[in-house]
Amino acid sequence: MPELPEVETTRRGLLPHVVGARIQHTLVRRFDLREEIPATFARQIQGGEITDITRRSKYLLMHISRHKKTPIVLLIHLGMSGSMRLEKPGFALKKHDHVVWELSSNQHMVFHDPRRFGVITLLSPLEITTHPLLAHLGPEPFSDGFNVAYLQRALARRTVAIKPTLMDAKIVVGVGNIYASESLFLSGIHPDTPACALTRKQLAALMNAVRTTLQAAIDSGGSTLRDYVQSSGNTGYFQHSFTVYDRASEPCVTCHTPIVHKVHAGRATYWCEICQPRHL
Ligand SMILES: [Zn+2]
């Protein structure tokens, strides 16, 4: 599944190629993604210029200015298996290429999504903070709003374990299953620790660990176990750099104790019993 680092990598990959380009034609080959693509979609962005690409959580936001009309924002979510890529004119369409934007920069931007859990829709710039998909999101992990005082407040009454709490987008966006295990290992926190029991020092360590882990993944071009293709067309695998994730029974990189794991609600958690002592 594309996680925040993959989405950020996609954004950075597309940015220099599509900003300043006009949308000359939009081909929608399938409208039935997780949510139906609006019927007027192609018409509303016809002739518009892509002025910027930003990201909120795992949503790509393409800002489009339009002649004699208010600007509009093209929201793209890659779902479980989606990817974006750039092609030259005359390229061969692949199965699962659902939307193709023909750009004035002599390139085609392609949305590819075998499982069709992705979302493509339009919103006004004012809806970036109020749209139902975006309104309830917690702070970005790299923003100033994600700090120790915030975490103390947000977790004060949360008696559930820190691992699922960290993956809750209302607390902080973009910490998926892989990065939750990795961040907890890096900060020396047992995944079953009640969220409200973490000390100020532990919260500071965890906050730094989340940033370090995500930044490392972004720097390496994003990670996922399958289905992800960078905007340049290269796969963005990163699994060899994991310290605990997917390493059950292998030696801890710090103390050589075998890594343990458990599956809870379908999500696997990996940790070291020595480096991440259980909360008593
Ligand atoms: Zn260890």
Side-chain angles (χ1 to χ4, degrees):
M1 190 192 310
E3 296 287 351
L4 185 144
E6 286 81 10
V7 179
E8 180 61 20
T9 302
T10 300
R11 186 185 79 82
R12 292 180 188 187
L14 292 172
L15 201 60
H17 300 286
V18 309
V19 167
R22 287 191 179 280
I23 297 168
Q24 293 178 319
H25 182 254
T26 304
L27 170 67
V28 182
R29 300 176 75 215
R30 284 200 74 143
F31 285 88
D32 53 338
L33 304 182
R34 190 172 85 206
E35 293 176 15
E36 191 87 358
I37 296 178
T40 60
F41 172 68
R43 200 170 66 230
Q44 290 198 67
I45 56 175
Q46 177 70 31
E49 180 188 335
I50 301 172
T51 56
D52 198 7
I53 311 174
T54 58
R55 180 187 56 72
R56 179 72 174 108
S57 185
K58 296 201 287 183
Y59 297 95
L60 285 171
L61 302 170
M62 294 210 182
H63 302 256
I64 298 171
S65 68
R66 302 184 295 176
H67 184 62
K68 290 185 178 171
K69 281 187 190 165
T70 54
I72 201 161
V73 177
L74 166 58
L75 174 149
I76 300 172
H77 190 275
L78 301 175
M80 302 289 284
S81 60
S83 62
M84 300 286 289
R85 71 178 196 278
L86 292 168
E87 295 275 12
K88 290 291 176 197
F91 77 103
L93 279 167
K94 295 181 191 171
K95 193 178 179 187
H96 310 301
D97 284 349
H98 302 312
V99 183
V100 181
W101 294 268
E102 193 183 320
L103 304 177
S104 61
S105 55
N106 206 31
Q107 296 187 98
H108 290 65
M109 184 169 71
V110 183
F111 175 80
H112 178 90
D113 186 7
R115 295 179 66 182
R116 283 187 287 115
F117 276 101
V119 178
I120 293 181
T121 195
L122 294 170
L123 44 131
S124 89
L126 295 173
E127 287 178 299
I128 287 177
T129 54
T130 59
H131 189 278
L133 291 171
L134 307 173
H136 304 292
L137 297 172
E140 288 286 325
F142 295 106
S143 72
D144 293 342
F146 184 55
N147 58 55
V148 174
Y150 162 75
L151 277 175
Q152 276 188 310
R153 272 199 314 279
L155 305 186
R157 287 178 194 82
R158 295 220 171 207
T159 54
V160 295
I162 185 61
K163 160 87 179 342
T165 304
L166 197 54
M167 292 173 61
D168 181 346
K170 292 190 193 74
I171 300 295
V172 58
V173 301
V175 185
N177 195 44
I178 293 171
Y179 302 109
S181 279
E182 292 291 299
S183 302
L184 288 165
F185 174 76
L186 192 58
S187 52
I189 296 168
H190 194 287
D192 287 340
T193 310
C196 60
L198 293 172
T199 64
R200 198 180 160 79
K201 194 176 163 190
Q202 283 179 310
L203 291 175
L206 182 57
M207 188 191 77
N208 288 330
V210 164
R211 288 180 174 160
T212 302
T213 305
L214 290 174
Q215 189 61 55
I218 292 168
D219 290 345
S220 76
S223 74
T224 197
L225 303 183
R226 62 195 178 92
D227 287 337
Y228 170 68
V229 179
Q230 281 180 309
S231 51
S232 61
N234 301 319
T235 53
Y237 285 19
F238 181 62
Q239 70 231 64
H240 302 299
S241 305
F242 297 147
T243 52
V244 286
Y245 187 82
D246 208 22
R247 293 192 64 238
S249 306
E250 291 178 35
C252 168
V253 294
T254 305
C255 74
H256 309 296
T257 305
I259 297 297
V260 289
H261 91 298
K262 72 171 179 185
V263 177
H264 183 67
R267 309 311 299 268
T269 303
Y270 298 82
W271 73 98
C272 171
E273 285 284 3
I274 304 300
C275 298
Q276 296 166 266
R278 193 170 284 275
H279 176 78
L280 298 173

